[in-house]
Amino acid sequence: HAMKSGDVESAIDSYRIDNPDWFEDPIRIDLERVSWSANELVEMAMILKSIDLASEDADRFIEAAQTVIDKAHPSLVPWFASLHLAGLETVRGNRSEALNLLRRAVMDENMRYLWRFYLQHWFVLEPLHGEPEFQELVASLEIEMEQQRERAYELLEAGP
């Protein structure tokens, strides 16, 4: 993603193609067209906050993302809802709550196959990377992955 390299304009352009309404004056966010995951809304809010912390436009995306998450929450798998809410709290600057939500997300074993992508590569969570709690969470997942790898090799060596 362009935001990983700090290229804000390219990041914005990538959203402009699929969501031209977001760049009208005033901004129009059609919640019926938004993905059920709210990723794009959370990401756009983060991009706008990176330009201007007091951005009213970013606040509109935050509100829209919260609406989508609240509406979809019962139908989302628990870790996915917690992950999106963690992203939203990160954008809002609520790092402690974001970390609590991330801990809740990774407790769900179904997240294990995607944890590395979201925790280490989703630019929305980058503000948390320097937090000791975040680093401990990633380290514990790395240890768990190594243990699973060791068990898999043991099973392979043991044979059928």
Side-chain angles (χ1 to χ4, degrees):
H1 196 278
M3 280 300 289
K4 294 279 291 175
S5 63
D7 188 354
V8 175
E9 284 306 314
S10 291
I12 289 174
D13 287 343
S14 69
Y15 293 96
R16 191 182 317 268
I17 293 166
D18 293 331
N19 304 288
D21 296 353
W22 293 2
F23 300 91
E24 292 180 5
D25 189 14
I27 289 173
R28 289 185 323 135
I29 303 170
D30 182 356
L31 295 182
E32 296 302 317
R33 288 188 52 220
V34 172
S35 144
W36 57 270
S37 71
N39 266 6
E40 292 177 337
L41 295 169
V42 173
E43 291 170 1
M44 192 65 193
M46 179 58 88
I47 292 167
L48 294 172
K49 286 282 188 183
S50 76
I51 297 169
D52 176 10
L53 279 175
S55 170
E56 290 180 14
D57 290 342
D59 292 341
R60 293 203 50 219
F61 281 94
I62 290 170
E63 290 171 23
Q66 185 70 60
T67 299
V68 169
I69 293 167
D70 289 346
K71 187 170 95 175
H73 188 283
S75 65
L76 291 178
V77 290
W79 72 264
F80 207 62
S82 294
L83 178 71
H84 282 95
L85 290 168
L88 196 53
E89 291 305 321
T90 302
V91 173
R92 288 179 170 143
N94 300 331
R95 291 181 181 200
S96 178
E97 181 60 19
L99 288 163
N100 288 335
L101 287 159
L102 282 179
R103 276 191 287 280
R104 186 179 318 153
V106 300
M107 288 175 62
D108 187 331
E109 290 182 9
N110 294 315
M111 186 193 182
R112 292 311 201 277
Y113 73 100
L114 286 173
W115 75 266
R116 188 171 278 121
F117 168 76
Y118 279 107
L119 270 59
Q120 295 181 328
H121 301 290
W122 192 30
F123 75 90
V124 170
L125 299 179
E126 280 185 12
L128 302 177
H129 288 187
E131 298 288 333
E133 298 95 333
F134 182 88
Q135 293 168 0
E136 290 170 16
L137 182 63
V138 170
S140 70
L141 288 166
E142 291 288 0
I143 290 168
E144 184 178 318
M145 296 305 294
E146 183 58 33
Q147 291 169 343
Q148 288 178 13
R149 205 172 1 264
E150 288 173 10
R151 283 194 298 271
Y153 286 131
E154 288 171 5
L155 290 171
L156 282 173
E157 289 175 7

